Amino acid sequence: MLAVHFPLNGLTMGSGLSMRGRTERGMEQEEFKALLSSEGFEEVAVVAREPNGRVDEHVHTFEAKALILDGEIRLRIDEGECVYQPGQVFHILPSVPHTEWYGPVGVKYLVGRK
């Protein structure tokens, strides 16, 4: 079931993900949009970040769930790190400090916020 999540200090990972963010199959955009809608994520956007970029530790006032479309992102929360690639989903709860790094081609993701 794709909507099952396992919390890791404010970062939740979809069913089938290991600590490195791997899944057996990627999620498609339309499937992800339907999931966002069913979970009450009304604000949806496509975000692109620069190659080899970084955002130092920060927090958001909103919950974010994102599907990687291209490239990769590495997220750190506390001592845990996960790398997400196309077809994989990450979920960050509000007010959770995290750091982001973007891969050599950057990253592009479809994100829902609430």
Side-chain angles (χ1 to χ4, degrees):
M1 185 163 113
L2 293 172
V4 174
H5 299 281
F6 303 98
L8 175 67
N9 298 325
L11 175 68
T12 63
M13 299 178 290
S15 175
L17 290 181
S18 71
M19 283 299 292
R20 299 296 297 168
R22 307 268 190 264
T23 60
E24 291 183 16
R25 74 168 185 85
M27 185 177 283
E28 299 295 326
Q29 286 187 51
E30 293 308 313
E31 180 183 14
F32 184 67
K33 286 178 183 177
L35 175 65
L36 290 176
S37 179
S38 74
E39 293 182 1
F41 288 88
E42 294 180 6
E43 180 184 342
V44 178
V46 174
V47 175
R49 300 288 187 209
E50 72 282 357
N52 300 310
R54 174 185 171 139
V55 177
D56 290 328
E57 188 172 80
H58 63 287
V59 298
H60 301 288
T61 58
F62 51 83
E63 180 178 352
K65 183 176 278 191
L67 170 67
I68 307 302
L69 303 175
D70 190 38
E72 70 178 32
I73 185 171
R74 181 168 41 114
L75 298 172
R76 176 186 291 156
I77 294 178
D78 294 326
E79 298 303 314
E81 282 189 23
C82 292
V83 175
Y84 296 91
Q85 297 173 334
Q88 298 176 325
V89 172
F90 69 83
H91 184 188
I92 300 178
L93 301 175
S95 303
V96 173
H98 62 283
T99 303
E100 305 173 14
W101 292 267
Y102 314 125
V105 297
V107 67
K108 183 166 112 176
Y109 54 87
L110 177 64
V111 62
R113 298 177 180 140
K114 67 176 178 177

